[in-house]
Amino acid sequence: MKINGELFYLWRAVDQHGVVLDILVQERRNATAAKRFFRRLLVGLKYKPRRIVTDGLRSYGAAQREVLPDVRHWTSRYLNNHAENSHRPTRRRERQMQRFKSPGQAQRFLSAHAMIYGHFRPRRHLMTADQYRRSRGKAFRIWRQETCAQIAA
């Protein structure tokens, strides 16, 4: 993504269900940046992944060998579609906001909204209409409970 004419890379981790786990906006796309992203991702996870699927970028392999040596690493253009398709909502939000103004703003906005987006967007193609309505109702109930609890505290 371009921010103020400079190129920045959007690192995104997605689980097997398409839920965004973490987002990081960085200037570089080398092994050091990949290590930083993997370490940041592991801090927030409660489990250790069994396998990692990435595109063909060599820096992922270098970072994986150092940070996650006992995790299987698969590289493929097509297995990585969950991560690639999750860029679409980001592009839509970026266009709506008329571009991001700084990398910090992009990082704050994308990391917060990725979690919220996943909460309110159940995987519709796997549900009946009734299940979808119940799932959305449950999501809104949870949202109201959590936001009221934070406001009262």
Side-chain angles (χ1 to χ4, degrees), residues 1-3 8 10 23-25 90 94 97 99-113:
M1 68 173 34
K2 279 199 172 189
I3 300 173
F8 287 87
L10 188 63
I23 291 178
L24 184 62
V25 177
T90 301
E94 181 182 15
M97 292 178 65
R99 298 277 174 211
F100 295 117
K101 309 305 185 245
S102 71
Q105 182 223 3
Q107 176 68 51
R108 287 188 305 274
F109 181 81
L110 292 173
S111 59
H113 284 270

Side-chain angles (χ1 to χ4, degrees), residues 31-42:
T32 307
K35 287 178 204 171
R36 181 177 177 202
F37 179 64
F38 283 162
R39 285 189 187 111
R40 177 186 161 118
L41 177 64
L42 289 174

Side-chain angles (χ1 to χ4, degrees), residues 40-78:
R40 177 186 161 118
L41 177 64
L42 289 174
V43 167
L45 288 180
K46 293 182 171 77
Y47 57 89
K48 191 171 186 180
R50 285 182 294 212
R51 88 174 163 240
I52 297 173
V53 180
T54 63
D55 58 7
L57 185 67
R58 297 273 188 177
S59 58
Y60 287 123
Q64 181 267 334
R65 284 190 295 275
E66 188 172 315
V67 178
L68 299 164
D70 53 338
V71 175
R72 293 173 55 194
H73 182 211
W74 292 358
T75 59
S76 172
R77 282 172 46 180
Y78 306 109

Side-chain angles (χ1 to χ4, degrees), residues 105-147:
Q105 182 223 3
Q107 176 68 51
R108 287 188 305 274
F109 181 81
L110 292 173
S111 59
H113 284 270
M115 304 307 160
I116 295 169
Y117 182 85
H119 181 71
F120 287 106
R121 298 280 195 277
R123 300 180 67 195
R124 174 67 180 101
H125 64 285
L126 299 175
M127 303 178 180
T128 64
D130 189 47
Q131 290 172 333
Y132 180 73
R133 281 191 292 273
R134 278 186 279 151
S135 175
R136 291 277 296 200
K138 181 181 174 186
F140 278 104
R141 272 194 308 282
I142 290 170
W143 180 258
R144 280 192 295 273
Q145 288 172 356
E146 292 300 318
T147 54

